[in-house]
Amino acid sequence: MADKISVKICGLRTADEVTAVAKAGAAYCGFTFFEKSPRCVTLDDARDLALGAPVGLAKVALTVNADDAFLDALTSQVPLDMLQLHGSEPPARVAQIKTRYGLPVMKAVGVAEVHDLAALESYFPVADQILVDAKPPKGGELPGGNGLTFDWRLIAGRRWPVPWMLAGGLTPDNVAEAIAMTGTKQVDVASGVESAPGVKDLDLVRGFAAAAQA
């Protein structure tokens, strides 16, 4: 029997979305704390969503170059299972955050060319998981959630010492191909299951999870 693929749906903003994600069989739900993102939520809203999340659904907070003051507020107000660092945090900062908050940390690394993989490897000693994402376009305001893919052949067949997750331009139509090509056991989606920026289409959510786990 093939290993089950773990699905993460990121950028949730409503209780209906959280419920739908859980019912679709996703392992993780993500809340975005980056003001320029159409998926950004407040700490109060995220707390309500996290408290209402079904048992067993891992709650992940996406932050971008957040300082300790914000992370202190975030972790004290919102019940979380993981922190996702989606900025330019160096390995030393990842280690510092992991020690300070006692939560598993997933570091996102943008990939466009083969030389980007060296940066990815620098996080293996300090991150609990790696999110392999498409590198954002030059001058872009969003570090992720841009709906861009990268050449999956760059990471096909690679084996890394920490769990990793594939992101970047995944949709219900291409996620099965991405899994087959890369061998990933985990996939992450935000814009690929939306009807408009920041608005999840629950049919696409269900379709994505079903395609990933088929």
Side-chain angles (χ1 to χ4, degrees):
M1 179 179 172
D3 292 337
K4 184 179 179 183
I5 301 297
S6 294
V7 172
K8 175 172 172 279
I9 311 290
C10 198
L12 305 187
R13 298 168 63 215
T14 71
D16 286 345
E17 291 175 354
V18 174
T19 299
V21 163
K23 286 184 176 178
Y28 308 85
C29 68
F31 306 122
T32 299
F33 301 92
F34 183 60
E35 289 183 355
K36 293 179 180 178
S37 171
R39 304 169 191 96
C40 187
V41 290
T42 65
L43 293 180
D44 286 344
D45 286 346
R47 180 177 185 274
D48 291 343
L49 293 174
L51 288 173
V55 174
L57 183 65
K59 300 171 289 294
V60 183
L62 185 162
T63 66
V64 179
N65 300 324
D67 59 19
D68 286 352
F70 179 79
L71 293 175
D72 287 350
L74 170 64
T75 54
S76 65
Q77 294 181 45
V78 184
L80 296 169
D81 299 295
M82 182 178 288
L83 293 170
Q84 177 180 331
L85 308 182
H86 217 104
S88 55
E89 303 90 355
R93 176 61 173 156
V94 175
Q96 181 187 38
I97 289 172
K98 182 176 171 179
T99 300
R100 182 178 177 93
Y101 299 103
L103 286 168
V105 173
M106 175 160 55
K107 179 67 183 92
V109 180
V111 171
E113 300 172 2
V114 69
H115 70 257
D116 294 321
L117 299 180
L120 184 154
E121 292 171 5
S122 70
Y123 291 99
F124 291 160
V126 293
D128 297 281
Q129 295 203 42
I130 300 292
L131 182 76
V132 185
D133 199 0
K135 185 175 276 190
K138 279 188 171 60
E141 290 198 320
L142 299 181
N146 292 295
L148 300 174
T149 59
F150 64 96
D151 186 350
W152 297 322
R153 292 172 294 185
L154 292 173
I155 60 170
R158 290 182 182 266
R159 296 292 177 265
W160 289 314
V162 295
W164 64 281
M165 187 177 292
L166 180 66
L170 298 178
T171 68
D173 294 329
N174 69 12
V175 66
E177 177 189 3
I179 291 167
M181 187 174 292
T182 64
T184 186
K185 304 299 182 195
Q186 304 191 103
V187 289
D188 179 38
V189 66
S191 62
V193 291
E194 291 180 347
S195 57
V199 180
K200 294 292 182 281
D201 181 314
L202 302 188
D203 287 334
L204 290 178
V205 168
R206 287 186 281 266
F208 182 89
Q213 296 168 354

